[in-house]
Amino acid sequence: MVDYEISDQALEGLVTHALSGLEGVRLLEAPRSLGEVFRRTKPVKVERSPEGLSVDLVLSVDYGVAIPELAREVQRSVAEALFLATGQKVRAVNLTVAQVEYRQGGHA
């Protein structure tokens, strides 16, 4: 039997990759204000427990995107990517939409 461990950075990379295939959503970028610096919100956080993985995401979405549908798609995509890569159950994918951003040529 082979023992191995998957680093937190690798798990975060899997989450980031899962999001890259979705339109209208991205991880919240670097802090823009002093208040954001003090909150130290990390855009991807993966926690492990005996029951499985739990993911917290802080997102920026494009103006005009239907957030409920996008949230379901993000949750499905992230859970599927983690399960396929690790074989571990994903208990939760929690989302915080911290920013709605108007982008030229974007939605609506």
Side-chain angles (χ1 to χ4, degrees):
M1 179 171 239
V2 176
D3 277 341
Y4 67 93
E5 185 171 325
I6 302 171
S7 72
D8 291 342
Q9 292 82 8
L11 292 173
E12 291 169 6
L14 289 167
V15 171
T16 301
H17 182 70
L19 286 175
S20 70
L22 302 175
E23 279 192 46
V25 65
R26 68 208 134 277
L27 293 172
L28 188 66
E29 295 176 6
R32 297 181 192 185
S33 71
L34 191 55
E36 290 176 6
V37 170
F38 285 119
R39 281 194 303 257
R40 296 177 191 209
T41 303
K42 190 174 177 186
V44 179
K45 181 178 168 187
V46 181
E47 292 183 355
R48 306 168 202 235
S49 73
E51 295 83 30
L53 300 172
S54 180
V55 182
D56 293 318
L57 299 174
V58 182
L59 304 174
S60 174
V61 300
D62 290 348
Y63 175 80
V65 171
I67 293 173
E69 286 114 24
L70 182 64
R72 283 189 287 277
E73 182 63 20
V74 167
Q75 289 171 321
R76 185 203 58 76
S77 182
V78 168
E80 184 177 281
L82 286 174
F83 178 76
L84 289 174
T86 67
Q88 295 182 24
K89 178 181 175 185
V90 179
R91 291 184 317 119
V93 178
N94 304 307
L95 310 175
T96 300
V97 176
Q99 176 176 292
V100 175
E101 186 175 11
Y102 180 78
R103 298 181 134 211
Q104 285 289 55
H107 293 84

